[in-house]
Amino acid sequence: MHIADILARDTPSLSFEFFPPKSDAGWESLYRGITEFAALEPSFVSVTYGAGGSTRDNTHALVVRLRRETPLEPVPHLTCFGHTKDEIRAILELYAANGVGTVLALRGDPPAGARILALGDFRHAADLVRFIRQEGERLGVNGGRGFGIGVAGFPEGHPETPNTLEQLEHLKAKVDAGADYIVTQLFFDNHAFHDWRARCDLAGIKAPIVAGIMPITSGSGLKRMADLAAGTRFPAPLLKAIARCKGNAEAIEHAGIHWATEQCRDLLDKDVAGIHFYTLNKSDATKRIYRTLGVRAGGARP
Ligand code: FAD
């Protein structure tokens, strides 16, 4: 399905991110959890793509399996890193043949130790967006409209571009190249998100912006997030809440999910286009947020 149709049907959209498991046990566990995710009737689910290469085929396999065997609408991530045009074309052909209607176009990050020369035929995500648009139209996806295309946005900035006005120009270039929506990096400070959303609007970026939310569920998870999302601010009240729970894993989980729930409540109140949950393949935190906010399966409209 084209993302424009999904967003027109479900505003705000509620969606989940999965990663392709590396082990057989991981696949089994994800597949057991899929029933629980599916029961929440998300607008779509996205599947990450390893820019390093080792799990790439797993992404394709998971996307095709979700498409064939579940009612979920999978949106594969695709990265520039290390890919030639022919390779990207072959992946898009596979997705088109399996009824995938929307793709998230990213540059990816170089695998540890790799040099920028390994980038491949596409330098920036905007180049990939342009190519996906052309190919989607050629393949007649979504009745000839081409693939729906998403891109990444960074409310608290992207570390490689310190000039924040330049960052907005680069984001606008992705939308002008044909992106239909933006999904943000995870954030914990809603003020940063709202301010950035207003700046996007002023910069002429009119594509719907879907907010990325990742509940903290453990002390080690918090450290991993700080590594993964460089530059993300952890507000002092959040850190104080986590510090109060020191030594009590259940209390940390409770405090982290409470914070994410409050973020979601505020985002829904302020008419966000959608919320994308970084689930780490576990449904429990998302289910608790749904329950607390009174969100029913299939939608967040009151
Ligand atoms: P780009 O838009 O190309 O931007 C990268 C940097 O280049 C930015 O600093 C930008 O300002 C700058 N830039 C852009 N255009 C130009 C230009 N013309 N001239 C000079 N500078 C320019 N990574 C993965 O490997 N796999 C995933 O599945 C994945 N999923 C993600 C999902 C989301 C929602 C997000 C937010 C990130 C995800 N990432 C993933 C990480 C992402 O690939 C990295 O953060 C990467 O560093 C930036 O990707 P991008 O698509 O924004 O790149």
Side-chain angles (χ1 to χ4, degrees):
M1 203 170 174
H2 195 291
I3 190 70
D5 298 336
I6 295 174
L7 293 177
R9 183 195 60 193
D10 301 343
T11 299
S13 64
L14 295 175
S15 53
F16 308 146
E17 182 177 290
F18 303 146
F19 64 86
K22 286 186 183 150
S23 66
D24 288 349
W27 278 90
E28 267 175 41
S29 150
L30 174 59
Y31 258 79
R32 274 197 307 275
I34 290 284
T35 320
E36 307 214 339
F37 282 116
L40 299 177
E41 298 174 29
S43 309
F44 62 93
V45 297
S46 78
V47 181
T48 63
Y49 194 64
S54 59
T55 61
R56 290 181 156 184
D57 288 343
N58 292 352
T59 298
H60 310 146
L62 179 55
V63 167
V64 170
R65 209 169 148 188
L66 288 171
R67 179 77 254 177
R68 286 186 186 157
E69 298 175 15
T70 75
L72 299 170
E73 184 70 42
V75 172
H77 297 196
L78 196 50
T79 64
C80 300
F81 252 101
H83 271 312
T84 62
K85 280 190 177 170
D86 285 345
E87 286 167 349
I88 296 283
R89 186 178 289 118
I91 296 167
L92 294 174
E93 283 169 358
L94 171 80
Y95 287 150
N98 281 282
V100 171
T102 298
V103 175
L104 188 70
L106 302 145
R107 186 198 63 182
D109 282 324
R115 290 182 306 141
I116 199 81
L117 287 177
L119 195 55
D121 283 349
F122 306 93
R123 188 157 190 83
H124 301 293
D127 306 326
L128 186 59
V129 170
R130 226 167 274 119
F131 189 71
I132 295 173
R133 175 137 316 281
Q134 270 171 27
E135 286 299 300
E137 285 168 12
R138 181 182 71 79
L139 292 164
V141 174
N142 289 315
R145 289 154 77 195
F147 285 105
I149 305 175
V151 290
F154 296 81
E156 296 178 279
H158 187 271
E160 282 170 44
T161 307
N163 180 328
T164 54
L165 296 180
E166 218 177 279
Q167 271 180 29
L168 288 179
E169 282 169 22
H170 295 153
L171 180 59
K172 184 162 189 305
K174 294 196 275 194
V175 175
D176 291 348
D180 300 288
Y181 73 115
I182 297 163
V183 189
T184 75
Q185 176 65 290
L186 60 93
F187 61 89
F188 299 98
D189 178 1
N190 278 20
H191 297 298
F193 172 81
H194 294 308
D195 187 69
W196 175 78
R197 187 166 67 154
R199 283 184 281 125
C200 286
D201 189 51
L202 283 171
I205 298 166
K206 304 296 178 186
I209 298 178
V210 171
I213 295 292
M214 186 188 263
I216 292 169
T217 53
S218 68
S220 56
L222 174 69
K223 289 201 184 82
R224 264 200 313 279
M225 277 182 219
D227 270 342
L228 212 74
T232 300
R233 224 170 64 77
F234 293 88
L238 169 62
L239 294 181
K240 275 187 201 163
I242 301 286
R244 275 195 295 270
C245 306
K246 199 168 176 199
N248 182 341
E250 199 186 332
I252 292 179
E253 187 181 18
H254 195 75
I257 293 176
H258 175 76
W259 186 273
T261 307
E262 279 299 304
Q263 283 190 274
C264 293
R265 187 196 49 72
D266 171 69
L267 290 165
L268 293 174
D269 282 349
K270 298 195 171 115
D271 296 326
V272 72
I275 300 178
H276 190 63
F277 292 94
Y278 293 103
T279 68
L280 298 178
N281 294 357
K282 296 199 176 86
S283 61
D284 191 48
T286 313
K287 280 195 304 197
R288 281 165 64 175
I289 293 172
Y290 267 55
R291 238 186 348 257
T292 309
L293 292 179
V295 172
R296 283 160 296 122
R301 283 199 188 118

